[in-house]
Amino acid sequence: MSNPSLLILPGDGIGPEVMAEVTRIIDWFGAKRGIAFDVSEDLVGGCAYDKHGTPLHDDTMAKALEVDAVLLGAVGGPKYDKLDFSVKPERGLLRLRKEMDLFSNLRPAQCFDALADFSSLKKDVVAGLDIMIVRELTSGVYFGEPRGIFKEGNERVGINTQRYTESEIARVARSAFELARKRNNKLCSMEKANVMESGILWRDVVTEVHEAEYSDVELTHMYADAGAMQLTRWPKQFDVIVTDNLFGDMLSDLAAMLTGSLGMLPSASLGAPTENGRPKALYEPVHGSAPDIAGQGKANPIACILSFAMALRYSFDMGDEATRVEKAVEAVLADGKRTADLLGEEGVTPVSTSEMGDAILAALDASL
Ligand code: IPM
Ligand code: MG
């Protein structure tokens, strides 16, 4: 059998710096664990626009559809703010999600013990937090038609459309129920069924899928605004949350900040299983391209490294190796190593991006 294949798209801003540390971890697996990947690299976002005049070249799109998993760094930057909407760096990422049909976006919010003090919430509210937001990623208001800015009489009107089919809701619900079964068997579905027809349908379909296939999982429903409130009040009441594209975008940023730093959080975007049984998949850190610190060796590579760990778990069925990476990260944090985004404790000097990589590699060595 051939090696599993990875397409690396470092992107813009701090993307290339944090991805460089992931590449070292991939090499470590080849050298020390006999797990080799076929790795290729390409451009996405602003850097692709600079070279090709488009944030995602068709050849890159074709490659992404062929490989077992895509690892993405980050896209965007102030340099591209004035570009036409159709060629903005973010469009590259949205095209990957849509054409790979990555409908299930897994965004864990986990609070590492060593970092519980970094949250803006009280320590006992977040210590030990481990929840998973499943965000629908290929439909809803992000893609619904009609959309655009039109002329109506003598003023302009901006239109976006929230649209969900039953099958789109059912497939993301199934992926969330499956995850809940592997965790604490609890799922909370969030929508606005009190004001939106798409929310009423969402609640109906999730309930139907539950009754027909997953009645062993404990299911609750919440309006998304109340969900935001409950997430800040007592986030540990949740296990898995499933929600639509836009609510998921907002709630996952909120949940991320509960853990103290966006620099820590990975994500996986999964599609349906392909012929070889592996889902179409893209892994990326939740943080953005952080142009203010790009090129300075300050960025925290942990979210990107944990995204690779998610690839090991969800694409390659190597849960034990994923845990090995996660434990190495935990050990390094417990040892007091901090990148600049995690400072606050007295007397701690920050480590650089590559020093954090060094420390994680040493912890991996120690795990053998
Ligand atoms: C995210 C981001 C993206 C989104 C942007 C960059 C298009 O905020 O992945 O959460 O809105 O989905
Ligand atoms: Mg977002």
Side-chain angles (χ1 to χ4, degrees):
M1 243 177 74
S2 58
N3 293 334
S5 54
L6 292 174
L7 173 62
I8 295 191
L9 302 174
D12 306 319
I14 60 170
E17 295 160 60
V18 295
M19 195 59 88
E21 302 312 310
V22 175
T23 306
R24 295 172 73 200
I25 307 252
I26 294 172
D27 292 344
W28 183 91
F29 272 95
K32 304 283 176 76
R33 301 290 302 148
I35 302 170
F37 294 91
D38 289 336
V39 181
S40 54
E41 196 172 317
D42 211 330
L43 303 174
V44 69
C47 58
Y49 175 82
D50 288 339
K51 179 142 185 232
H52 302 298
T54 162
L56 187 73
H57 195 278
D58 289 344
D59 292 348
T60 316
M61 186 65 242
K63 266 190 233 168
L65 288 167
E66 266 165 34
V67 292
D68 292 316
V70 178
L71 304 182
L72 189 139
V75 295
K79 186 178 157 192
Y80 308 104
D81 280 351
K82 296 234 157 66
L83 285 184
D84 186 73
F85 188 67
S86 63
V87 288
K88 274 202 190 297
E90 291 78 8
R91 303 306 301 173
L93 177 57
L94 293 171
R95 181 174 176 203
L96 282 165
R97 290 174 179 172
K98 188 69 181 173
E99 291 192 26
M100 292 171 77
D101 202 18
L102 305 172
F103 60 86
S104 178
N105 179 213
L106 278 42
R107 299 192 163 188
Q110 230 175 327
C111 186
F112 288 85
D113 285 344
L115 300 182
D117 284 322
F118 288 90
S119 177
S120 49
L121 298 189
K122 294 195 188 81
K123 189 168 179 171
D124 68 312
V125 177
V126 295
L129 179 71
D130 177 7
I131 61 179
M132 177 77 87
I133 296 191
V134 178
R135 167 188 177 192
E136 199 291 325
L137 203 60
T138 51
S139 186
V141 78
Y142 271 62
F143 297 98
E145 299 281 348
R147 64 182 298 165
I149 300 175
F150 305 98
K151 197 92 186 165
E152 209 175 82
N154 52 12
E155 64 172 356
R156 289 174 303 161
V157 51
I159 297 182
N160 291 93
T161 301
Q162 167 82 333
R163 179 180 189 277
Y164 271 107
T165 64
E166 289 185 284
S167 53
E168 284 169 342
I169 301 167
R171 66 181 185 171
V172 73
R174 281 194 189 95
S175 75
F177 280 121
E178 291 290 339
L179 263 174
R181 272 187 180 157
K182 292 189 190 134
R183 296 170 47 102
N184 295 320
N185 221 36
K186 274 170 58 178
L187 179 65
C188 181
S189 170
M190 294 186 187
E191 27 55 18
K192 285 282 290 174
N194 50 347
V195 283
M196 296 164 77
E197 283 77 4
S198 59
I200 296 175
L201 186 70
W202 182 282
R203 191 175 283 220
D204 281 354
V205 173
V206 172
T207 305
E208 285 160 20
V209 171
H210 179 242
E211 278 166 12
E213 300 166 46
Y214 297 96
S215 54
D216 54 301
V217 178
E218 187 191 317
L219 172 68
T220 51
H221 303 274
M222 221 177 252
Y223 297 139
D225 54 343
M229 183 268 283
Q230 290 297 340
L231 268 169
T232 46
R233 192 186 68 84
W234 190 245
K236 287 185 235 176
Q237 69 187 283
F238 298 109
D239 178 21
V240 181
I241 292 170
V242 65
T243 189
D244 78 14
N245 205 343
L246 184 60
F247 294 142
D249 182 43
M250 296 189 293
L251 293 172
S252 64
D253 263 23
L254 190 159
M257 211 51 221
L258 298 176
T259 70
S261 170
L262 277 179
M264 304 293 304
L265 293 172
S267 78
S269 304
L270 306 176
T274 58
E275 273 163 30
N276 62 18
R278 292 173 183 147
K280 282 250 161 292
L282 180 145
Y283 299 88
E284 59 178 317
V286 169
H287 63 68
S289 59
D292 52 321
I293 58 160
Q296 299 172 29
K298 281 188 189 167
N300 184 350
I302 290 180
C304 205
I305 289 171
L306 291 176
S307 299
F308 173 64
M310 288 189 91
L312 292 172
R313 176 170 290 120
Y314 293 107
S315 280
F316 305 119
D317 217 6
M318 296 182 198
D320 292 347
E321 300 300 338
T323 306
R324 183 190 297 280
V325 175
E326 289 155 0
K327 290 263 180 278
V329 167
E330 226 169 283
V332 165
L333 292 172
D335 192 35
K337 292 272 187 308
R338 305 280 185 262
T339 40
D341 55 311
L342 299 174
L343 289 186
E345 296 135 307
E346 255 166 69
V348 182
T349 337
V351 299
S352 68
T353 310
S354 62
E355 284 164 345
M356 185 56 99
D358 294 342
I360 293 170
L361 285 168
L364 282 172
D365 277 336
S367 77
L368 294 176

